Amino acid sequence: MTTILNYLVVLAVAALLAGPALYGTARERRIDRQLHEAAAGRSEAKEGEAPRAQKSSSRSTVPSTAT
């Protein structure tokens, strides 16, 4: 019984040490995939598509001179 408990403790410690590293690796791969897709979309837009219309919320504002 003690041997099984020792194995379980070793597995628990290994999971605690490897868990955050595996999570970080998965997160980095997801971010890399998103960056790659964004870059691919940007290069396709440069090749022949018309530029996208600018949203009104991203236009610069002109201060009002009326008083």
Side-chain angles (χ1 to χ4, degrees), residues 39-58:
R42 200 173 307 129
S43 65
E44 288 175 4
K46 287 181 182 178
E47 289 178 359
E49 295 181 11
R52 295 181 183 164
Q54 187 177 18
K55 294 181 181 180
S56 63
S57 61
S58 63

Side-chain angles (χ1 to χ4, degrees), residues 16-37:
L16 286 173
L17 293 175
L22 294 174
Y23 175 76
T25 302
R27 184 172 180 260
E28 288 292 326
R29 290 190 64 177
R30 179 180 50 88
I31 292 171
D32 287 343
R33 190 177 334 112
Q34 289 174 347
L35 288 172
H36 179 70
E37 289 173 1

